[in-house]
Amino acid sequence: MRDLLGLSPLDVARAVRDVAPEPFRAAQVLKWIYERRAADFAEMTNLPKAMREALAKDFVIGLPNVVSRTPTSDGTEKFLFELSDGARVEAVYIVESKKAPSWTDPETPGASRVTICLSSQAGCAVDCVFCVTGRMGAGRNLTAGEIVGQYLAIARAKSFGPHEANVVFMGMGEPLLNVANVVRALDLLDEEVSPKRVTVSTAGVVPGIEALAGRPRRPNLAVSLSGADDATRTKLMPINRTYPLAELFAALKRWPLERGRRITFEYVLIAGVNDTLAAAAKLAALVRPLPSKVNLIPLNESKEWLPGLKRPSDAVVNAFAKAVADDGVPVTVRRSKGLQADAACGQLKGREEPARPKGPRAP
Ligand code: SF4
C-alpha cells in the first residue's frame, strides 16, 4: 500500500493514473486530502464508487493515529500521535488572542487566532538544557507526509479550514536538521497556509538557515538564542559549539528579509543563569543591528525532567523585558499556553507517561 500523503501533486498524478486515468482525478483526490481533510477514499463522493474502491486497494492516506488528546482550560489541546513505525510525536493546537501579550500590556484580549505547533523529529539530538524533548535524546527525522499529517489530523479533529491557522515548527525536534522534509512539507501546505503565516524555529543550524534562505518563498524565522555570549549559550545550547554566535549572526545578516518582517529571537529565561540586567543589555546589543524582535520565554519548570532549573520571578522577567525594550528592541513575553497538559514550549516528549530522564542536568 502506497501512502499518498507527502507526495507532490505530480507524483500523486503519476501514482494514481492506472486507477484514475483522467488528469482531473488526481486534483480531486488532492483536494479531498488537503482541503476537505479526507482520511479515507470512501469519503471522496465525487469519484465513482469503483474508482474509490480501486484507490483503497492500492493506496492509503497516512494520517497519524491519534493516541490521546489533552485539552486545557485555555483552549490549547495537545495531540499525541503514533506514526506507522510506532514512533510517537506531539503537536499542539493553540488558540490565542490576536494581540500578543507584551510586558507592557500583558492581558489585552482580542479576536482569537489558531496556531498549530508541529514536530519535525521524533526526539531531538540538540540537547538544549531547558528542553524536555532534548532530554529524551535523538529520534528520527519525520517524513514530509508525517509532518503534514499532524496538521491535517488536527484540522480534521478541530474542524478548521484552509487559511484559518498559522503553523509554527516549534514542536519536537530541530526542523533545520530535517530541512529537506520540512521544505517539502511547506510546499505541500503552500495552498493551505501562506509562508507569511509559517514560522520555523531553529536552535541555529547555519546550513539549514542557508537552505531556507535560498527558497523563493520563505517562512518567518525564529532563532532560539537564550544566551547572548558564547560561554552562556554553549552551556545552555551545546549546538553553539558547532555554530557559534559570530557564524550564526553572519548567516542571519544574509537572510533575505522582506520589508516589514523581523527575525524573532527566542530567549528562555532561567533564574540565576541568564536573567540579569547585564544579560539583557548584551542581548539587545547583539540583536539590534538586525530587524528583530525578542520573545522571552520564562522557563517551563519540570522537577522530573529539568531538575535544578527555575523560572525567574515575574518581577525579574518584567525588569529583563523592560531593559531590552529600553535598548530599542521590541519584546514580548510568552505566557505559555498549555502548561496544564505539558504542551507548552520545551515540554513535548511524545509519550503519555514520562520515561526516566537521562539524568540530572544543570547548565
Ligand atoms: S529546544 Fe528545540 S532544538 Fe533544543 S533540544 Fe528542544 S526540540 Fe531540540
Side-chain angles (χ1 to χ4, degrees):
M1 298 283 261
R2 189 163 177 203
D3 189 358
L4 293 186
L5 209 56
L7 296 186
S8 69
L10 188 60
D11 286 339
V12 169
R14 283 192 186 125
V16 303
R17 72 181 157 206
D18 286 347
V19 281
E22 301 104 316
F24 66 93
R25 293 297 186 193
Q28 281 180 311
V29 169
L30 283 164
K31 192 167 177 154
W32 274 104
I33 295 174
Y34 286 97
E35 283 183 34
R36 303 179 75 170
R37 309 359 183 151
D40 200 295
F41 296 103
E43 295 174 40
M44 303 182 180
T45 48
N46 58 354
L47 269 61
K49 188 160 181 279
M51 189 179 285
R52 283 182 259 153
E53 288 169 357
L55 284 167
K57 262 195 209 149
D58 291 341
F59 303 103
V60 290
I61 303 163
L63 292 175
N65 288 329
V66 180
V67 177
S68 64
R69 293 173 59 170
T70 313
T72 66
S73 56
D74 62 18
T76 297
E77 186 164 346
K78 182 173 74 170
F79 287 73
L80 174 62
F81 293 116
E82 186 167 84
L83 307 176
S84 56
D85 64 349
R88 290 185 170 198
V89 296
E90 290 173 325
V92 188
Y93 171 91
I94 303 159
V95 184
E96 57 194 339
S97 157
K98 257 188 184 160
K99 186 172 185 344
S102 74
W103 69 273
T104 50
D105 189 10
E107 297 300 339
T108 305
S112 64
R113 75 176 165 201
V114 169
T115 300
I116 309 301
C117 177
L118 299 176
S119 292
S120 54
Q121 298 181 305
C124 186
V126 175
D127 203 16
C128 302
V129 161
F130 46 78
C131 174
V132 169
T133 309
R135 306 296 301 118
M136 294 168 53
R140 67 165 175 86
N141 282 342
L142 302 191
T143 65
E146 288 168 339
I147 294 170
V148 167
Q150 297 166 59
Y151 175 89
L152 292 175
I154 294 177
R156 185 176 166 88
K158 302 298 289 185
S159 302
F160 63 81
H163 313 294
E164 288 181 22
N166 298 327
V167 166
V168 295
F169 282 84
M170 295 183 185
M172 294 167 61
E174 163 52 57
L176 297 189
L177 288 179
N178 185 18
V179 71
N181 286 314
V182 167
V183 162
R184 209 167 296 142
L186 291 176
D187 286 342
L188 290 167
L189 286 175
D190 199 60
E191 295 284 311
E192 173 82 27
V193 191
S194 119
K196 286 192 174 158
R197 299 183 69 178
V198 176
T199 300
V200 171
S201 174
T202 177
V205 179
V206 168
I209 292 170
E210 286 169 344
L212 271 192
R215 282 174 56 82
R217 280 157 60 78
R218 287 169 299 282
N220 298 299
L221 188 64
V223 179
S224 179
L225 212 51
S226 298
D229 60 73
D230 280 319
T232 307
R233 191 163 189 267
T234 299
K235 267 195 257 169
L236 297 175
M237 303 179 70
I239 197 170
N240 194 67
R241 282 196 200 97
T242 311
Y243 306 112
L245 286 170
E247 196 178 329
L248 172 60
F249 273 76
L252 296 177
K253 276 184 195 131
R254 295 192 294 270
W255 177 265
L257 263 184
E258 285 91 1
R259 263 169 80 98
R261 291 173 93 178
R262 293 171 184 268
I263 294 173
T264 300
F265 290 96
E266 293 154 343
Y267 192 99
V268 177
L269 275 167
I270 307 170
V273 176
N274 63 353
D275 61 346
T276 62
L277 293 181
K282 216 183 264 186
L283 171 63
L286 181 66
V287 304
R288 200 171 37 219
L290 294 170
S292 56
K293 56 187 172 185
V294 165
N295 189 6
L296 298 176
I297 307 168
L299 178 78
N300 291 314
E301 291 179 9
S302 167
K303 280 200 183 89
E304 182 175 16
W305 291 82
L306 309 173
L309 299 187
K310 294 263 174 242
R311 167 194 289 249
S313 68
D314 284 353
V316 168
V317 171
N318 288 342
F320 192 100
K322 183 174 183 314
V324 174
D326 286 349
D327 277 347
V329 179
V331 58
T332 53
V333 178
R334 190 183 301 170
R335 311 284 177 193
S336 285
K337 296 267 180 178
L339 282 168
Q340 297 159 34
D342 283 353
C345 205
Q347 292 186 314
L348 300 185
K349 43 189 177 292
R351 51 184 68 150
E352 287 172 297
E353 293 302 321
R356 206 178 148 74
K358 284 194 289 191
R361 178 83 190 275

